[in-house]
Amino acid sequence: MKTLAIDTSNFVMGLALVDDQQVVGEVITNIKKNHSVRVMPAIQALLKDCGWAPSDLERIVVAQGPGSYTGVRIGVTIAKTLAWTLQIPLVGVSSLEVLAANGRYFDGYIAPLFDARRGQIYTGLYQYNETIETVVEDQLVMNNDWAKHLRSLEKPVLFIGNDADLHREVLAAELGELAVFGSPTLLNPRPSELAFIGMTKLPVDLHTFVPNYIRMAEAEANWLASQRTKS
């Protein structure tokens, strides 16, 4: 199955072309540049470099969040547009699940995380048992509350993600030797992992598929609060 994977849900931009069990091409950048300007030219370049035409694609897989509101919207919008234009299936995958796949050989739990500011993190808990399995669903939680919960499990936890170091002090203080922090090569989500995960999942309905923000954007929350005040 010829698959294009797209991940712009956070700072990292990732694209991959996968043909069944072969990674044909992959692009990963971790630089401060606008995803909306770069994604489509990068997809075109990757297809050209790999000798594929858009009509060769059989499935689109996208990281659907959580993460940056703008980044998630960009990726989902492009993925939906391509899938609709090419009339091929679209699959959405948790951005955290994609990152968790980097820890597949860790003997313990895997806790991917993205910073959500003010001590909050987007995270979930996973483990690898031939495939990546969800132990605790993705959520928005305070870092200290999450650390206490993980400590109660009494099992080593691998923290991965470019934002993990922002919360290292809190997590390590609570978990001690049970806290393991991924090496730099594990911190970027891999779009090829996204593609492989997406090939195992059922396609979504194009018209009802939406990003998974987990929480509302601050502007939306403020607007709803103002409406309640008026009423």
Side-chain angles (χ1 to χ4, degrees):
M1 182 185 298
K2 288 182 168 61
T3 300
L4 167 64
I6 303 170
D7 187 354
T8 63
S9 58
N10 285 280
F11 201 66
V12 174
M13 184 189 79
L15 304 169
L17 293 177
V18 171
D19 189 2
D20 292 328
Q21 294 301 304
Q22 180 185 11
V23 179
V24 179
E26 190 170 31
V27 174
I28 303 172
T29 61
N30 187 16
I31 54 178
K32 190 175 182 179
K33 287 193 176 181
N34 193 330
H35 290 332
S36 64
V37 175
R38 301 176 59 231
V39 178
M40 283 308 300
I43 291 174
Q44 292 174 324
L46 183 59
L47 286 167
K48 182 179 179 181
D49 288 346
C50 295
W52 286 18
S55 58
D56 293 325
L57 296 173
E58 299 172 285
R59 175 169 291 208
I60 305 291
V61 181
V62 65
Q64 68 180 94
S68 158
Y69 296 114
T70 302
V72 172
R73 282 197 299 270
I74 290 169
V76 169
T77 300
I78 290 174
K80 290 180 68 171
T81 302
L82 287 173
W84 182 83
T85 303
L86 298 170
Q87 292 296 290
I88 57 177
L90 172 67
V91 174
V93 177
S94 160
S95 303
L96 289 166
E97 183 178 356
V98 177
L99 186 54
N102 287 357
R104 65 173 65 245
Y105 298 115
F106 182 71
D107 185 18
Y109 291 131
I110 308 162
L113 66 84
F114 305 131
D115 181 56
R117 297 184 298 180
R118 302 185 184 92
Q120 300 176 99
I121 53 177
Y122 296 115
T123 190
L125 197 62
Y126 296 82
Q127 63 183 0
Y128 186 75
N129 183 20
E130 296 186 356
T131 60
I132 292 295
E133 299 176 348
T134 302
V135 179
V136 177
E137 295 290 337
D138 297 350
Q139 59 186 286
L140 176 69
V141 64
M142 293 299 299
N143 55 15
N144 56 345
D145 292 337
W146 183 237
K148 291 174 183 176
H149 173 69
L150 295 178
R151 182 68 182 87
S152 70
L153 301 179
E154 298 183 343
K155 191 172 181 178
V157 180
L158 173 65
F159 295 99
I160 49 178
N162 285 299
D163 297 334
D165 201 51
L166 298 175
H167 303 273
R168 179 190 291 259
E169 184 176 350
V170 171
L171 297 170
E174 183 67 40
L175 280 95
E177 294 182 354
L178 293 177
V180 180
F181 292 86
S183 64
T185 56
L186 297 180
L187 303 185
N188 290 336
R190 294 287 303 273
S192 54
E193 293 282 9
L194 170 60
F196 287 125
I197 294 171
M199 287 193 288
T200 68
K201 295 181 181 291
L202 294 174
V204 298
D205 179 82
L206 271 177
H207 302 290
T208 59
F209 179 66
V210 294
N212 178 21
Y213 297 123
I214 293 186
R215 69 175 178 184
M216 290 184 291
E218 185 174 354
E220 184 179 1
N222 291 340
W223 183 85
L224 289 173
S226 68
Q227 298 305 303
R228 286 194 292 269
T229 301
K230 292 178 181 178
S231 62

